[in-house]
Amino acid sequence: GRGPRPVVDFTKTHYRDVPSSSFPDGSWQTDKEYTVAFIREAKALVDRVKEGIYAEYGKPTKKADGTAMSKEERVARDAMWGVDHVDGAEARGIAKLNEHSWN
C-alpha cells in the first residue's frame, strides 16, 4: 500500500460536517479513485441487503426456480415496501411520514 493516510479531526466540527477544502492532501476523502470505488461498493452492499430483506419476506427479485420477477411484480413489491410522504392521505406502503417528520 500507500502507507498511512492523514486523518481529519472531526471532534470539533458541528455535525461532523467538514468542508471538502479542509481535507489534507493524501487523505482518502481527496482520493477520487478510492472514493468512487467506495461509493460503488457501498451502493452494492445496500442492494444486497435490500435483496436479502426481500427474500426473507418472500419477495426476492430472483425466484427459487431461477426466473426473475416480472416488471409488474417488482412494481407491486416496491409499492408494498414504499415510504410515502403524505398530507392526510392514505399511505400505500409500509410507512407513513407526515409533514412534521420531514421538518
Side-chain angles (χ1 to χ4, degrees), residues 72-95:
E72 294 78 22
E73 289 171 315
R74 286 184 81 152
V75 167
R77 179 191 69 187
D78 293 347
M80 180 178 71
W81 286 92
V83 176
D84 290 330
H85 177 220
V86 296
D87 294 320
E90 191 65 30
R92 299 171 302 210
I94 61 170

Side-chain angles (χ1 to χ4, degrees), residues 32-52:
K32 183 172 181 150
E33 181 181 338
Y34 177 83
T35 55
V36 167
F38 184 90
I39 291 169
R40 182 182 60 245
E41 291 300 320
K43 287 179 179 180
L45 175 61
V46 170
D47 288 343
R48 289 191 305 272
V49 169
K50 285 171 42 178
E51 285 302 320

Side-chain angles (χ1 to χ4, degrees), residues 51 54-55 59-63 67-69 74 77:
E51 285 302 320
Y54 291 148
K59 301 289 184 182
T61 301
K62 186 175 181 182
K63 299 177 186 179
T67 61
M69 253 186 181
R74 286 184 81 152
R77 179 191 69 187

Side-chain angles (χ1 to χ4, degrees), residues 5 20 23-32 35:
R5 291 185 181 256
S20 58
F23 291 111
D25 289 339
S27 65
W28 68 264
Q29 293 93 337
T30 63
D31 183 339
K32 183 172 181 150
T35 55

